[in-house]
Amino acid sequence: MTDAPHLSNETAGDWGDRTEQAVLDAAIRLAPTLGWSGRMVRAACAEAGLSQGDQDLLLPNGPRDLAALLSRRHDARALETLGEPGTMKIRDKIFAAVSARMEAGAADLEATKKCAGFLALPTNADLGLSLAWESADHLWRWAGDTATDWNHYSKRTILSGILIPALTMRWFEGRERAEGFVRARIENVMAFEKWKAGKDFDTPVKRATEFLSRMRYGRV
């Protein structure tokens, strides 16, 4: 009796990556008919030659895991389409980035719609928000953002808030309406940033700190 072949971590990783993508390819074909569901996951895994045990190992969270794989494929496709950002103004970079991300998902439109409906369920809202943040992070990094302070988080929060409705609008209402929405929201954000730049938001905090210091220690 021979021993079962041993797979190195690298080989096992390659197998996992290839198999995930094969299952995702099958899921994109099957989702328009079966929905983004456990039934669809089982059918996609069976098409890729996986047993139930293999499926449980590869995709323990079933359709949630596949939703994450689909979102990450669309992120990668968008970045590949975008290429180098060049010297565009930041608002133009962000518009181009969001537009590319919308069109990346539109290439798998019917499956993407089913996945969007799945992520809209209350039980999956956490995953939807997490994936939107992840996409926003990729797009900001492509645009050249290197912030590490609170701006890092605020930029991604704001862009996530644009991405979620923009993607939904693209899937269900078309490109023109979605891109109009994105342009308007970017203008809103830029106008706010311009207004904010002329304000001293640190002064009220400093004054409050000085007041509390005087209350505790006397004049400072």
Side-chain angles (χ1 to χ4, degrees):
M1 180 176 178
T2 59
D3 292 334
H6 175 71
L7 295 178
S8 69
N9 289 338
E10 182 178 355
T11 302
D14 290 344
W15 174 87
D17 291 341
R18 289 195 307 271
T19 306
E20 283 178 345
Q21 295 306 310
V23 173
L24 181 57
D25 288 339
I28 289 169
R29 292 193 300 272
L30 294 168
T33 301
L34 300 180
W36 208 266
S37 62
R39 180 185 172 206
M40 179 274 290
V41 176
R42 178 80 288 267
C45 286
E47 191 171 304
L50 299 184
S51 67
Q52 183 65 58
D54 293 332
Q55 176 184 325
D56 293 342
L57 180 64
L58 192 70
L59 302 168
N61 299 301
R64 284 174 61 95
D65 288 335
L66 271 183
L69 287 173
L70 182 64
S71 180
R72 288 163 188 159
R73 176 180 286 190
H74 292 164
D75 287 342
R77 184 182 292 165
L79 293 173
E80 184 177 355
T81 299
L82 284 164
E84 293 299 319
T87 57
M88 292 186 290
K89 292 180 179 180
I90 189 63
R91 71 178 67 194
D92 295 328
K93 287 180 182 179
I94 294 303
F95 176 79
V98 174
S99 182
R101 180 59 178 80
M102 292 192 297
E103 294 314 300
D108 304 312
L109 186 57
E110 295 307 314
T112 302
K113 284 182 178 180
K114 297 296 185 182
C115 186
F118 173 79
L119 291 174
L121 296 172
T123 52
N124 300 317
D126 62 322
L127 177 60
L129 291 171
S130 175
L131 292 174
W133 175 280
E134 193 173 285
S135 296
D137 183 51
H138 287 307
L139 300 184
W140 266 118
R141 289 180 187 279
W142 170 82
D145 178 62
T146 57
T148 56
D149 58 5
W150 67 272
N151 281 303
H152 173 92
Y153 301 97
S154 64
K155 286 178 178 179
R156 283 146 184 80
T157 299
I158 290 168
L159 187 54
S160 296
I162 294 173
L163 265 176
I164 292 172
L167 293 175
T168 303
M169 199 172 291
R170 175 63 183 90
W171 312 153
F172 296 97
E173 299 183 40
R175 181 173 185 171
E176 184 176 353
R177 183 166 171 78
E179 289 191 341
F181 168 84
V182 173
R183 285 195 186 279
R185 297 293 76 76
I186 290 174
E187 289 303 317
N188 291 158
V189 171
M190 296 304 291
F192 173 72
E193 290 296 323
K194 184 177 179 180
W195 171 82
K196 189 175 71 172
K199 306 295 180 181
D200 183 1
F201 290 99
D202 290 335
T203 296
V205 176
K206 290 176 181 176
R207 288 176 178 169
T209 302
E210 290 170 0
F211 174 75
L212 291 172
S213 296
R214 285 197 299 270
M215 289 283 289
R216 183 170 183 179
Y217 302 111
R219 184 171 296 276
V220 292

